[in-house]
Every structure is written in C-alpha cells, then in structure tokens.
Amino acid sequence: ATSNTNRIQVYGSAAGSGTLTSVSVKEVTDDTNLPRINYEGFTYDNGLPVPYSGKGHLLLEGQRSNLVTQSNDSSGYSTTNCSVSNNQGLSPDGENNAIKWVVNNGSTTADFRPETSISLSVGLEYTCSLYAKADGFNLFQLDFTDTGLGDMNIDVDLDLGQIVNSGSATISSSIESVGNGWYRISCTGQAVGTSSAFIIRNDASQTGDGTSGILFYGHQFE
C-alpha cells in the first residue's frame, strides 16, 4: 500500500470490538524498491544486491507496548486543582486533537495523571515521552511515583526549550523542537518497584488563572 499522508492509522468499527496485539511495517524505499533488509555477504551490480549471492534478514523493530492506555484522551485522567480538555489545538500531526491543561484560578499546586497505576518489572528501563506546547504557562514537571521509578523526573521550560533539572534516578532525557512551538520531551529510568503513576505537575512559580495552561499530545510510556 502507498500512503498519501505521513502516518498509518488503524481504526476500529463501532459495530465490533477486538484487541490489536502486534503491528509490523516493512518500508519499501523509493530509490531501491526493496524492503529494509540487512545484507551480509552479497555482491552488488550497479548498487543493487545480486539475488541469491549472500544472506539477508529483515530489519524489524522489537516488540513494545504503550502502557498509557489513553494516550490522547483526557476523559479518564485524574486531576488535582486543574482541568484537562480534549481537542483544544493543532497537535504535531496537524489535527485539532491536542489536550489543554489549565491550572485552577489561584492554585500553584496542581497535577494531572494520564495513568494512576502502571505495572513495572524491577530492573527494566522505561522511557516516557510526550509532546508539549506553551499556552500561557511554560513550566511543568514530568514526574513518577518514587516507589516505582525512584527519583525519576524532569523539569521543563518550554520558553527556553530546555530541560532545566533532572531527578537523580533519571538515566537520560531529551527535548527536541518539532515546529510550531511544539517540543518532543522524553526521559528514561530504571524500575525499582512494581508500580508507578504518570504525573504532570505545575511549577509552583506559576499561579493558575483558570485560563493559562499548556497543550499536550501523545503521552507514551514503554
């Protein structure tokens, strides 16, 4: 199949239900018209491998699962001193499906939780990522419960486009501009317990006015 957009989507019918357990995509490139294969011991003719002259295997991604079951639907999120609303702005995919987080008027302590309990395996590394865009507020903390991931957290300044602080259990973190004021933010840590919450916290230097907030999109935890 050839897509005329930059994404592949799978839709469920309103008339049925089911579970999607695995997706595999093999890219056919424009220049070679070949699947992504790692070739070993092949000979080449005009830059292309000669059939049956060596060995090759498909380049496939390892199996992963997003542990945030409502990665872009705020209707089930737990909130404290704040509100979250769907479809409040254009996300990085160009559709009006960004989530807006607004801190209540007069509040400095606020958070929302896309997941309140994520099952972990002790010793494994986990990476969280999301997209964020300033919309009146520019500061937030991406945090997790200490019982599951220790002191894994990062403080983000969207005006600077920087991670300004990291918890001691944060193995690595990154922030990358993807255009139109949006940033992709991620952090990685190692599980020290069997359960954690996924938490977005307000920076105490920001006092809510009931309007200002931050746009989020695509919460992911693997």
Side-chain angles (χ1 to χ4, degrees), residues 10-11 45 194:
V10 179
Y11 289 91
D45 182 15
T194 58

Side-chain angles (χ1 to χ4, degrees), residues 91-107:
S91 74
D93 74 1
E95 297 186 14
N96 182 35
N97 56 3
I99 293 170
K100 185 171 182 179
W101 171 50
V102 175
V103 177
N104 292 349
N105 187 30
S107 295

Side-chain angles (χ1 to χ4, degrees), residues 74-123:
S74 67
S75 60
Y77 293 179
S78 171
T79 60
T80 302
N81 297 329
C82 64
S83 64
V84 283
S85 303
N86 292 334
N87 306 324
Q88 298 299 306
L90 295 180
S91 74
D93 74 1
E95 297 186 14
N96 182 35
N97 56 3
I99 293 170
K100 185 171 182 179
W101 171 50
V102 175
V103 177
N104 292 349
N105 187 30
S107 295
T108 57
T109 302
D111 68 63
F112 75 92
R113 307 184 181 206
E115 288 289 344
T116 57
S117 181
I118 302 174
S119 295
L120 308 176
S121 294
V122 175

Side-chain angles (χ1 to χ4, degrees), residues 80-198:
T80 302
N81 297 329
C82 64
S83 64
V84 283
S85 303
N86 292 334
N87 306 324
Q88 298 299 306
L90 295 180
S91 74
D93 74 1
E95 297 186 14
N96 182 35
N97 56 3
I99 293 170
K100 185 171 182 179
W101 171 50
V102 175
V103 177
N104 292 349
N105 187 30
S107 295
T108 57
T109 302
D111 68 63
F112 75 92
R113 307 184 181 206
E115 288 289 344
T116 57
S117 181
I118 302 174
S119 295
L120 308 176
S121 294
V122 175
L124 292 186
E125 290 187 4
Y126 291 85
T127 295
C128 167
S129 67
L130 52 79
Y131 294 86
K133 178 180 179 178
D135 192 10
F137 278 1
N138 64 298
L139 304 173
F140 73 93
Q141 182 183 73
L142 179 56
D143 193 15
F144 305 88
T145 49
D146 292 347
T147 54
L149 288 159
D151 187 30
M152 174 179 164
N153 58 72
I154 54 175
D155 296 322
V156 180
D157 187 326
L158 294 171
D159 282 351
L160 297 177
Q162 295 179 1
I163 295 171
V164 294
N165 188 53
S166 298
S168 60
T170 305
I171 296 174
S172 63
S173 61
S174 67
I175 183 169
E176 174 188 7
S177 173
V178 295
N180 195 31
W182 283 96
Y183 290 89
R184 183 181 184 275
I185 299 147
S186 71
C187 62
T188 298
Q190 186 178 63
V192 295
T194 58
S195 180
S196 180
F198 182 132

Side-chain angles (χ1 to χ4, degrees), residues 38-88:
N38 185 41
Y39 296 103
E40 297 176 353
F42 275 69
T43 57
Y44 291 83
D45 182 15
N46 293 324
L48 295 177
V50 176
Y52 310 113
S53 64
K55 297 179 179 180
H57 58 268
L58 291 171
L59 293 176
L60 302 177
E61 294 286 345
Q63 183 176 349
R64 296 178 177 89
S65 297
N66 184 5
L67 301 179
V68 179
T69 56
Q70 291 181 252
S71 60
N72 213 48
D73 180 3
S74 67
S75 60
Y77 293 179
S78 171
T79 60
T80 302
N81 297 329
C82 64
S83 64
V84 283
S85 303
N86 292 334
N87 306 324
Q88 298 299 306

